[in-house]
């Protein structure tokens, strides 16, 4: 267990965390403002990845693939929001969960129908195929680019939410939606805007995850669970909570998986450690979430409500 | 309204009781397995509905208890213990301790946090089961023989069917009494307005915890039956998808009622079964498309039910029967 290995794994954790942040920020805004539980957020990520993979293959340009994927997912997300989800905002959370669960099934099968069940592979763009030198350590340029793009998006979101008029309305909507509507703000438009923003970010995450993970039906669900863990640990409804929650989940999961089995071998019998290590490593983020929720039910960085 | 509500459970259970007869007469023992599955998942959904429908506590982790029941049978069988009483006793004991401890932690939270913390515990146990290499790990373990309950020969599919049927009917009756007793009233009071219940002097945590443990134990029982039915214990029983399926069954059938979840389980499993074996000879290969992509149709049906039938399938059936009669 050397320092350089630890550093690499920390970066990998950061990279997973950044990917989760792109998803969790959209999900948490939709939950915070519309009070809407959108399980189909993972499906938007999946569709983004598929659109990107197809567009990349057709155009050969990663940038063009990104633009097409984000635009197509944005359009689809807004259409779904207007047609089906908008009428559910006033309903029970359980109805929302069930409807979006139905949407997951439909999207998964639609993807299987169009692209088939086999995973679609997407290459890393040629410009980012090499490695970058970080303090004397080689690190894949593509993964580094994910971190950079994610941090840039985080910064842009911070500016949007805290420094612009739209952001002020979004924050106000999260704190007290009916009051914002009563003050004459078009809350329907605001809702669609926020949902579209979430869909675009999910597509961006799908685009960037494409070359790392296999693009396949159902890829949205496993990441949805991680995203939910991230926003609940961080505190539902706040971008800050989504950011720190996502980074925490990404780093704990990655570093735990990398080092826990070896660490257990120091204390335990070899055979036992071999079996317990991976299992315990997979449990780690859920353990973290359970402890956080038991001690602070509203998460680490809850929205301040006055 | 009242008549339909009374008549429907009798008709429903009567039809279930007749399934083995029909299966034997038509020479299709396959239906026995399908309806056994329906009743096992109906039982689990019924258990979850005690806290979800009547207590307003949305547990997204009840597959955990299904898994405890299944693994109690699997692990004891792997060590050569075949007594069904030992299986059931161990399952309920472990399930009760686990539910008590997990419930105590989870019930500190409410709303979204409760949903997620129950999911967290289920996921932990899921990965624990995956880590149990000596018991099959990822693949799970097959159970050579069904639990031996004295003279009850569970090896016979019909006997197993009627055992499941009897347990489902008994649970329905007990829960009917519980829900309409003082305990059930307090539980529903907590769902509607917990602060007011506390102000009235009820120790609400104790009531909710008792309901949580009871609902978990019903799922443990369903897990024991599931392991006997499939002769297999697998980590897949504990996957979050299963917890989600149970919630879907409850809402699809209608959560305000006792029988709703069982009707929901029947509907979902029947839909799955019909669509995957769909052979109507429709043109342009529609049959194959439906077989392969049945989940999309299920998804669309779920959305239609949620958007149009606010009280679920069973609530709608009862309501319609009441209006017609």
């Amino acid at each position: 267990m050397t320092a350089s290995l630890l550093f690499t794994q920390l970066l990998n954790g950061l990279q997973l965390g950044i990917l989760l942040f792109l998803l969790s920020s959209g999900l948490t805004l939709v939950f915070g403002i519309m009070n809407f539980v959108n399980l189909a957020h993972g499906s938007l990520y999946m569709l983004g990845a598929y659109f990107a993979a197809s567009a990349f293959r057709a155009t050969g340009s990663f940038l063009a693939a990104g633009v097409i994927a984000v635009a197509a997912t944005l359009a689809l997300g807004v259409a779904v929001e207007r047609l089906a989800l908008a009428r559910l905002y006033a309903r029970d959370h359980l109805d929302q969960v069930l409807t979006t669960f139905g949407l997951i099934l439909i999207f998964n099968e639609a993807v299987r129908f169009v692209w088939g069940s086999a995973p679609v592979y997407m290459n890393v763009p040629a410009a980012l195929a090499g490695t970058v030198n970080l303090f004397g350590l080689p690190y894949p340029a593509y993964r580094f680019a994910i971190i950079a793009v994610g941090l840039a998006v985080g910064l842009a979101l911070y500016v949007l939410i805290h420094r612009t008029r739209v952001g002020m309305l979004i924050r106000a909507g999260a704190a007290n939606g009916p009051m914002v509507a009563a003050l004459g703000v078009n809350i329907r438009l605001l809702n669609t805007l926020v949902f579209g923003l979430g869909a675009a970010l999910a597509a961006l995450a799908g685009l960037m995850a494409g070359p790392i993970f296999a693009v396949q039906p159902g890829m949205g669900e496993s990441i949805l669970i991680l995203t939910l863990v991230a926003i609940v640990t961080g505190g539902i409804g706040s971008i800050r909570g989504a950011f720190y929650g996502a980074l925490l989940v990404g780093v704990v999961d990655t570093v735990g998986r990398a080092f826990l089995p070896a660490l257990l071998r120091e204390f335990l019998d070899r055979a036992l450690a071999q079996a317990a290590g991976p299992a315990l490593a997979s449990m780690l983020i859920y353990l973290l979430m359970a402890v956080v929720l038991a001690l602070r039910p509203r998460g680490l960085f809850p929205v301040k409500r006055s | 309204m009242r008549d339909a509500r009374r008549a429907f459970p009798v008709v429903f259970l009567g039809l279930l009781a007749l399934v083995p007869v029909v299966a034997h007469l038509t020479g299709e023992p396959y239906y026995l397995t399908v309806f056994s599955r329906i009743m096992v998942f109906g039982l689990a959904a019924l258990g979850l509905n005690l806290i979800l429908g009547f207590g307003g506590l949305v547990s997204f982790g009840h597959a955990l208890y299904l898994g405890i029941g299944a693994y109690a049978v699997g692990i004891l069988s792997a060590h050569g213990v075949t007594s069904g009483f030992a299986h059931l006793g161990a399952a309920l004991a472990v399930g009760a301790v686990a539910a008590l401890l997990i419930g105590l932690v989870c019930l500190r939270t409410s709303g979204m946090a409760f949903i997620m913390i129950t999911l967290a515990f289920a996921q932990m146990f899921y990965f624990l089961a995956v880590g149990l290499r000596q018991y099959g790990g990822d693949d799970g373990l097959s159970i050579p023989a069904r639990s031996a309950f004295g003279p009850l020969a569970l090896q016979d599919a019909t006997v197993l069917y009627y055992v499941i049927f009897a347990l489902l009917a008994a649970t329905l009756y007990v829960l009917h009494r519980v829900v309409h007793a003082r305990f059930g009233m307090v539980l529903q009071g907590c769902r509607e307005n917990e602060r007011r219940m506390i102000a009235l002097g009820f120790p609400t945590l104790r009531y909710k915890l008792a309901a949580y443990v009871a609902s978990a134990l019903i799922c443990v029982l369903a897990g024991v039956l599931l392991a006997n039915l499939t002769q297999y214990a697998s980590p897949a029983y504990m996957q979050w998808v299963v917890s989600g399926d149970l919630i879907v069954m409850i809402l699809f059938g209608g959560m305000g009622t006792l029988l709703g979840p069982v009707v929901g389980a029947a509907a979902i499993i029947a839909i799955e079964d019909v669509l995957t074996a769909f052979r109507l000879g429709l043109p342009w290969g529609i049959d194959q498309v439906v077989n392969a992509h049945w989940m999309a149709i299920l998804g669309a049906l779920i959305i239609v039910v949620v958007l149009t039938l606010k009280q679920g399938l069973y609530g709608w059936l009862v309501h319609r029967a009441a209006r017609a009669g």
Side-chain angles (χ1 to χ4, degrees):
Chain A
M1 203 190 305
T2 59
S4 68
L5 190 59
L6 181 66
F7 184 64
T8 309
Q9 291 299 347
L10 273 176
L11 278 178
N12 283 342
L14 189 65
Q15 175 249 309
L16 176 63
I18 290 285
L19 217 49
L20 287 177
F21 168 63
L22 291 179
L23 287 162
S24 61
S25 52
L27 197 59
T28 206
L29 278 181
V30 168
F31 186 86
I33 296 176
M34 285 97 110
N35 202 12
F36 183 76
V37 185
N38 179 23
L39 292 189
H41 201 69
S43 295
L44 294 171
Y45 158 85
M46 173 182 72
L47 286 166
Y50 269 101
F51 289 145
S54 290
F56 189 35
R57 189 161 298 173
T59 63
S61 154
F62 198 73
L63 210 60
V67 172
I68 292 171
V70 169
T73 314
L74 178 74
L76 194 81
V78 168
V80 168
E81 195 264 347
R82 283 288 88 199
L83 290 178
L85 304 184
R87 54 185 81 184
L88 286 165
Y89 293 154
R91 300 276 285 268
D92 198 23
H93 278 169
L94 275 173
D95 285 348
Q96 302 168 353
V97 165
L98 206 56
T99 313
T100 49
F101 181 78
L103 278 179
I104 291 181
L105 296 181
I106 294 177
F107 280 134
N108 274 346
E109 291 308 316
V111 161
R112 211 168 264 151
F113 187 74
V114 176
W115 282 279
S117 298
V120 174
Y121 292 100
M122 194 176 162
N123 288 326
V124 172
L128 296 171
T131 57
V132 287
N133 200 341
L134 289 178
F135 312 110
L137 283 168
Y139 191 73
Y142 185 73
R143 286 174 182 263
F144 185 71
I146 292 182
I147 297 177
V149 169
L151 288 178
V153 167
L155 196 67
L157 269 182
Y158 176 82
V159 171
L160 175 76
I161 303 262
H162 291 274
R163 293 283 180 272
T164 67
R165 185 177 162 76
V166 173
M168 184 188 72
L169 291 177
I170 289 177
R171 276 180 292 142
N176 192 340
M179 182 59 85
V180 176
L183 290 174
V185 175
N186 185 345
I187 199 96
R188 262 174 62 117
L189 188 67
L190 190 67
N191 285 348
T192 307
L193 195 76
V194 169
F195 197 92
L197 182 65
L201 290 175
L204 187 62
L207 161 81
M208 293 197 300
I212 300 181
F213 307 125
V215 180
Q216 57 190 349
M219 67 187 278
E221 279 102 277
S222 44
I223 202 131
L224 175 78
I225 292 286
L226 282 183
T227 308
L228 285 172
V229 170
I231 64 172
V232 172
T233 309
I236 299 171
S238 79
I239 292 278
R240 209 160 67 99
F243 184 71
Y244 291 119
L247 289 194
L248 197 62
V249 168
V251 169
V252 167
D253 193 50
T254 308
V255 174
R257 270 173 214 279
F259 295 112
L260 203 62
L263 200 66
L264 280 183
R265 228 167 286 152
E266 306 280 318
F267 303 104
L268 290 174
D269 174 57
R270 195 180 166 76
L272 193 63
Q274 210 121 46
L280 203 61
S282 310
M283 266 186 236
L284 220 51
I285 51 167
Y286 298 103
L287 202 62
L288 174 78
M289 174 167 79
V291 170
V292 166
L293 286 183
L295 299 178
R296 303 186 60 167
R298 292 181 56 211
L300 291 173
F301 304 94
V303 184
K304 288 185 204 77
R305 284 178 206 276
S306 49
Chain B
M1 183 81 191
R2 177 132 290 188
D3 283 348
R5 246 170 214 261
R6 288 231 170 120
F8 196 87
V10 178
V11 173
F12 186 76
L13 288 177
L15 287 177
L16 277 179
L18 286 177
V19 166
V21 180
V22 176
H24 279 294
L25 286 179
T26 55
E28 295 268 13
Y30 168 69
Y31 288 116
L32 222 50
T33 320
V34 174
F35 278 89
S36 300
R37 252 179 83 77
I38 284 177
M39 289 194 300
V40 167
F41 279 97
L43 184 63
L46 186 61
L48 174 56
N49 191 39
L50 177 64
I51 56 166
L52 194 150
F54 294 96
L57 299 164
V58 183
S59 164
F60 194 16
H62 258 48
L64 156 61
Y65 299 110
L66 215 56
I68 287 182
Y71 266 88
V73 177
I75 291 177
L76 284 179
S77 295
H79 289 289
V81 181
T82 56
S83 160
F85 298 105
H87 292 170
L88 197 59
L92 291 178
V94 173
V97 172
L100 201 63
L101 295 177
I102 293 174
L104 261 180
V105 178
C106 291
L107 286 173
R108 289 173 51 90
T109 67
S110 62
M112 188 69 180
F114 183 81
I115 301 180
M116 295 308 292
I117 198 168
T118 47
L119 168 74
F121 279 107
Q123 289 292 89
M124 282 184 230
F125 273 73
Y126 168 74
F127 287 116
L128 179 72
V130 169
L132 290 175
R133 291 260 173 93
Q134 66 271 43
Y135 300 116
D138 227 348
D139 302 322
L141 71 169
S142 72
I143 298 162
R146 289 184 174 145
S147 308
F149 281 100
L152 275 177
L154 292 191
Q155 290 305 340
D156 186 309
T158 312
V159 174
L160 181 64
Y161 182 92
Y162 278 114
V163 167
I164 299 173
F165 175 77
L167 286 170
L168 177 67
T171 310
L172 268 172
Y173 177 73
V174 170
L175 283 189
H176 175 78
R177 297 297 298 260
V178 165
V179 164
H180 291 93
R182 185 186 144 92
F183 179 82
M185 292 299 160
V186 175
L187 195 60
Q188 290 171 66
C190 292
R191 177 189 65 192
E192 296 304 325
N193 192 336
E194 185 170 359
R195 192 178 289 179
R196 193 171 290 175
M197 295 305 286
I198 294 173
L200 286 172
F202 287 103
T204 55
L205 178 68
R206 244 182 273 165
Y207 278 90
K208 289 198 293 185
L209 187 62
Y212 182 85
V213 173
S215 113
L217 288 181
I218 296 173
C219 282
V220 169
L221 179 64
V224 170
L225 294 173
L226 183 63
N228 270 298
L229 181 67
T230 57
Q231 296 201 290
Y232 210 83
S234 157
Y237 295 168
M238 281 192 247
Q239 242 170 357
W240 68 272
V241 181
V242 179
S243 302
D245 282 344
L246 290 179
I247 297 179
V248 168
M249 286 170 184
I250 291 175
L251 294 179
F252 200 77
M255 69 172 184
T257 54
L258 269 180
L259 205 57
V262 189
V263 172
I268 298 271
I269 295 178
I271 289 170
E272 169 182 346
D273 208 62
V274 166
L275 290 181
T276 46
F278 194 72
R279 292 274 179 283
L280 276 185
L282 291 177
W284 309 303
I286 290 180
D287 281 6
Q288 281 73 33
V289 173
V290 168
N291 293 164
H293 302 289
W294 63 273
M295 279 213 222
I297 297 175
L298 179 65
L301 276 174
I302 289 174
I303 294 178
V304 168
V305 166
V306 173
L307 289 181
T308 56
L309 313 176
K310 289 194 178 165
Q311 299 178 324
L313 206 55
Y314 177 63
W316 175 72
L317 278 175
V318 170
H319 193 71
R320 229 178 79 115
R323 267 205 312 204

